[in-house]
Amino acid sequence: MRIDSLTTYFQEYEKSINSPEKFWENIAENFYWRKKWSKVLEWNFDEPKIKWFLDAKLNITENIFERNLDKLAQQTAIIWESNNPNESSKHISYQQLFSEVSQFANVLKNQGVKKGDRVAIYMPMVPEAVVAMLACARIGAIHSVVFGGFSAQSLSDRIIDAEAKILITADGGFRGSKTINLKNIVDEALEKCPSIEKCIVLERTKKSIQMKNGRDIWWHQAIENISIHCEAEEMDSEDMLFILYTSGSTGKPKGVVHTIAGYMVYTQYTFENVFQYNRGDIYFCTADVGWITGHSYMVYAPLLAGGTMVMFEGVPNYPHSGRFWEIIDKNKVTHFYTAPTAIRSLMANGLEPIKPYQLTTLKVLGTVGEPINAEAWHWYHTYIGKEKCPIVDTWWQTETGGIMISPLAGITPTKPTFATLPLPGVQLMIVDSEGNELKGNAVEGNLCIKFPFPSMIRTTYGNHERCKQTYFSTYKNLYFTGDGAKRDEDGYYRILGRVDDVINVSGHRLGTAEVENAINEHPLVNESAVVAYPHDIKGQGIYAFVVLENEGKTHEITAMKASILETVNKIIGAIAKPDKILFCSGLPKTRSGKIMRRILRKIAEGDISNLGDITTLLNPEIVEEIKKEAGF
Ligand code: WT7
């Protein structure tokens, strides 16, 4: 049932708390099941064990295609806009997408992919990335999409962890003025990936590349004479749909696992309610397919809802900073979903780039990925939404699969910088550092979830213990989000940001340990510590304190910095490159050898007025040195 008023929201929320099983069962009735569930929910947060719609059988692609095709065959599913405005856009109907997905599903089968096999996808923002994902889902293979900006090492780490059998990629991709030579990166990555049997390569940039005999196959050749019909594999509701790697407070990214039925039910439900999306509306989400937003709210939810979505290959400021607005006018976009960092960077360009555009078709605006500051919120509301479009500030995580806290567009009264209220089914709890619940309103603490919802993380791939340790062990019987939050006098939630060693750079999550490990790979680095600091555009910037080996100290500083940046670029990717590097002769450490990040954070933030007690440090004198280096 669609929520259409604040009263209904409160009623539905009540129902979802009082009888969650009944609530979600009702919603699940709208989907196409080969066989219905025997039980709605089985769970405990101890192991953890979370199972929704037990014993039900389905295929998520039958819910995108077969369920709706009689009405939607000719409707556009994807409008694709190239990086280059002079290249024609593509309009792909549901019928056509269905044929392409089925055909590519047959290709995967021919290459020996079976139900349960892992398939890695490393692609630019082209419709074939969606085809590849849905083709996996069609035959019951588990996709693991790796963001196209990640390095060879990041790619191979993820392939190895998932033991992927096939890699789907492209010769390259276009992003702004750059051409990314994906296949070269792939070739380097695959030297370390014995599990990969075949690599399917889409032709996009037509730059010359190496094709390895026996391993590499061109996409266009693989689909020649292949049938466009492929029966969907019958899947269990709790079979894995995909793995998506994400960073945490430890060095190694973990494979977050989502399973089919719960993810399907929750993402479509939240999409329709949060955005108040109706068929015929044109929805444009700017996220890359390599992140969870790309999975849930660019691919799965809009297609499950029978929607029309815009997929954009490029970047906001190429070839000019009005590119988003141009795409919105051209395609009569009604719903626009982007990240605060994009808004801030466009805001920095002033109002001139918006002037040529009307933006009159817009009805709803959304943001995701990081806290939105009041200034960016007002700019978005005034100049893009022309003060008539509600803004949905959606809080959620890779692990939650779908939106948890958000206004419902046009229904929930908004308040800048507040994600507002939990969606039906979401039972939040704010706790203090001991795990005591902070009841009532006007409280601030750590944000937890106390009851399962259908799209929540099931495990971390290949290591269930890690899932338990990371999310379910900080506080007993609670899922800990890693975020701090405040609940105000009206019961509205405001997300305060991460309270763990995770940095959020332009809405992308990085672990401090992960960046430190990369920096430490540099042969002339002895050790390093990484902290976040407020950054005007990115939200948070990366500040690295680096201790060099003796030989390192004889090098020229600028060259040394550049060479460290190159190391990080090579090991993780450009998104992890520190914005600032400070060289020092040591790091402030406690007697037990732990780095005192609190002090480094203060210095990075430029606030040294109160560094707290430093007498417990093993080397208090280092603080003076670092302060001086930092310009205080
Ligand atoms: C972390 C999750 C959810 C898809 C994109 C990021 C931060 C996310 C908001 C928001 C304040 C937000 C949180 C969260 N975050 N949305 N609306 N307001 N903070 O997914 O990489 O899994 O990161 O992003 O800190 O824990 P992710």
Side-chain angles (χ1 to χ4, degrees):
M1 193 198 114
R2 177 68 66 88
I3 299 173
D4 55 8
S5 69
L6 200 56
T7 318
T8 351
Y9 159 73
F10 285 117
Q11 284 166 355
E12 291 297 298
Y13 188 79
E14 270 314 296
K15 279 195 230 164
S16 79
I17 302 309
N18 296 337
S19 41
E21 278 99 339
K22 204 154 158 254
F23 178 83
W24 288 113
E25 184 166 47
N26 270 332
I27 290 161
E29 292 289 349
N30 299 316
F31 291 80
Y32 172 66
W33 305 85
R34 295 256 187 120
K35 178 174 163 258
K36 291 264 173 82
W37 48 91
S38 60
K39 196 175 172 193
V40 181
L41 172 64
E42 222 174 77
W43 72 287
N44 70 67
F45 277 175
D46 226 26
E47 296 177 49
K49 175 172 89 176
I50 299 132
K51 291 186 173 179
W52 283 91
F53 311 112
L54 288 85
D55 304 316
K57 304 289 175 205
L58 76 161
N59 187 294
I60 195 167
T61 67
E62 282 187 332
N63 281 276
I64 293 175
F65 299 117
E66 280 93 336
R67 175 170 59 142
N68 296 327
L69 221 54
D70 54 337
K71 291 190 217 78
L72 294 181
Q74 297 319 315
Q75 192 195 291
T76 303
I78 303 177
I79 301 173
W80 176 78
E81 286 292 344
S82 163
N83 180 59
N84 173 0
N86 299 321
E87 182 180 355
S88 317
S89 36
K90 286 186 189 164
H91 287 240
I92 303 170
S93 70
Y94 273 89
Q95 185 68 59
Q96 195 183 341
L97 184 63
F98 186 29
S99 300
E100 288 184 28
V101 166
S102 304
Q103 185 178 48
F104 199 68
N106 285 327
V107 167
L108 292 177
K109 272 189 176 172
N110 291 347
Q111 297 303 331
V113 181
K114 298 198 174 58
K115 180 171 176 170
D117 284 346
R118 276 79 55 215
V119 173
I121 299 177
Y122 186 62
M123 291 191 81
M125 285 285 284
V126 290
E128 287 83 353
V130 182
V131 171
M133 290 165 77
L134 298 181
C136 289
R138 187 82 182 163
I139 63 169
I142 302 162
H143 58 73
S144 166
V145 183
V146 179
F147 171 56
F150 277 129
S151 67
Q153 179 158 341
S154 293
L155 174 60
S156 62
D157 284 350
R158 286 158 176 76
I159 290 175
I160 292 166
D161 190 78
E163 294 176 282
K165 196 167 178 179
I166 302 264
L167 172 63
I168 305 168
T169 188
D171 50 358
F174 300 112
R175 267 180 76 76
S177 55
K178 290 193 212 122
T179 304
I180 320 282
N181 295 315
L182 291 173
K183 184 58 168 52
N184 294 352
I185 302 172
V186 162
D187 288 340
E188 190 187 332
L190 291 191
E191 278 170 25
K192 291 190 260 173
C193 302
S195 63
I196 292 288
E197 294 169 10
K198 294 282 185 255
C199 175
I200 304 177
V201 186
L202 178 79
E203 186 170 61
R204 170 68 189 129
T205 59
K206 300 197 165 69
K207 293 265 180 333
S208 116
I209 55 161
Q210 299 283 322
M211 292 292 279
K212 189 171 166 182
N213 246 332
R215 183 193 72 188
D216 299 348
I217 313 157
W218 283 109
W219 177 300
H220 58 271
Q221 289 174 356
I223 60 174
E224 266 171 35
N225 305 318
I226 299 290
S227 159
I228 56 165
H229 300 285
C230 176
E231 177 71 11
E233 187 76 32
E234 185 167 291
M235 304 300 289
D236 187 84
S237 52
E238 282 297 334
D239 280 336
M240 291 184 196
L241 176 62
F242 64 84
I243 307 171
L244 185 58
Y245 285 83
T246 188
S247 300
S249 33
T250 54
K252 201 171 152 253
K254 47 194 173 300
V256 170
V257 170
H258 285 290
T259 57
I260 300 167
Y263 179 82
M264 170 183 83
V265 170
Y266 192 81
T267 52
Q268 185 185 330
Y269 175 77
T270 50
F271 175 69
E272 291 178 334
N273 281 289
V274 167
F275 292 99
Q276 292 288 303
Y277 181 89
N278 293 306
R279 285 195 184 161
D281 287 342
I282 313 286
Y283 166 88
F284 177 16
C285 166
T286 68
D288 191 278
V289 68
W291 310 113
I292 191 68
T293 310
H295 282 59
S296 302
Y297 297 105
M298 186 182 71
V299 179
Y300 283 107
L303 296 179
L304 282 162
T308 300
M309 65 91 158
V310 177
M311 179 179 199
F312 173 42
E313 182 186 37
V315 294
N317 51 9
Y318 178 85
H320 55 80
S321 357
R323 189 73 175 111
F324 278 169
W325 324 132
E326 184 176 57
I327 292 174
I328 289 172
D329 272 8
K330 177 180 167 194
N331 296 295
K332 305 191 165 54
V333 168
T334 54
H335 292 66
F336 180 64
Y337 192 29
T338 196
T341 187
I343 299 168
R344 287 190 298 262
S345 85
L346 293 167
M347 194 167 108
N349 295 323
L351 297 176
E352 226 28 61
I354 310 175
K355 286 204 178 133
Y357 308 102
Q358 309 298 316
L359 303 177
T360 43
T361 51
L362 285 173
K363 294 194 288 198
V364 175
L365 301 175
T367 71
V368 59
E370 46 176 324
I372 180 162
N373 50 310
E375 202 191 348
W377 195 98
H378 285 294
W379 187 88
Y380 199 30
H381 185 247
T382 310
Y383 299 110
I384 306 306
K386 316 287 183 200
E387 295 181 340
K388 66 176 177 48
C389 301
I391 296 178
V392 291
D393 175 355
T394 63
W395 174 83
W396 55 296
Q397 309 179 298
T398 304
E399 293 84 348
T400 69
I403 299 169
M404 298 276 101
I405 310 179
S406 172
L408 307 179
I411 292 171
T412 316
T414 56
K415 203 189 269 190
T417 76
F418 282 79
T420 73
L421 299 170
L423 298 189
V426 177
Q427 304 196 29
L428 304 170
M429 191 194 275
I430 294 185
V431 301
D432 66 15
S433 49
E434 270 74 57
N436 304 310
E437 178 169 10
L438 301 174
K439 293 206 173 114
N441 288 345
V443 293
E444 191 175 311
N446 292 340
L447 184 63
C448 296
I449 301 175
K450 64 180 173 193
F451 194 86
F453 48 94
S455 69
M456 103 182 281
I457 181 173
R458 298 300 197 263
T459 187
T460 44
Y461 192 79
N463 190 348
H464 193 63
E465 183 58 25
R466 196 164 173 212
C467 174
K468 175 181 169 141
Q469 285 306 327
T470 314
Y471 306 106
F472 298 92
S473 299
T474 316
Y475 306 113
K476 199 168 164 42
N477 287 326
L478 294 175
Y479 165 87
F480 177 40
T481 63
D483 279 315
K486 140 180 178 167
R487 189 167 49 225
D488 77 356
E489 308 70 41
D490 302 327
Y492 269 30
Y493 287 82
R494 177 181 188 173
I495 305 301
L496 302 169
R498 303 290 303 198
V499 296
D500 52 6
D501 289 325
V502 166
I503 329 186
N504 190 328
V505 183
S506 303
H508 302 315
R509 210 206 288 192
L510 291 162
T512 52
E514 193 184 2
V515 182
E516 287 161 8
N517 290 348
I519 295 173
N520 299 348
E521 287 284 316
H522 192 287
L524 298 179
V525 169
N526 190 332
E527 62 172 338
S528 63
V530 160
V531 298
Y533 72 97
H535 188 288
D536 284 349
I537 306 279
K538 300 180 178 184
Q540 291 192 319
I542 305 177
Y543 202 129
F545 297 84
V546 178
V547 182
L548 294 174
E549 298 276 358
N550 273 335
E551 301 138 76
K553 292 179 193 153
T554 61
H555 285 65
E556 209 255 315
I557 286 195
T558 321
M560 199 59 224
K561 284 187 180 171
S563 147
I564 289 174
L565 293 181
E566 192 33 47
T567 304
V568 175
N569 187 32
K570 205 167 148 38
I571 291 180
I572 307 178
I575 48 168
K577 286 204 275 190
D579 300 276
K580 290 186 185 172
I581 296 178
L582 180 146
F583 294 115
C584 44
S585 67
L587 299 169
K589 288 191 181 166
T590 62
R591 279 170 214 283
S592 59
K594 246 184 107 194
I595 300 168
M596 273 259 217
R597 285 169 195 282
R598 172 172 60 80
I599 295 173
L600 298 176
R601 233 175 262 135
K602 283 270 181 194
I603 294 173
E605 283 165 9
D607 165 26
I608 53 156
S609 56
N610 180 14
L611 289 183
D613 182 14
I614 60 167
T615 56
T616 56
L617 287 180
L618 196 64
N619 50 352
E621 70 289 347
I622 209 73
V623 177
E624 276 314 307
E625 179 197 312
I626 295 178
K627 268 162 60 180
K628 221 156 123 211
E629 275 302 316
F632 293 105

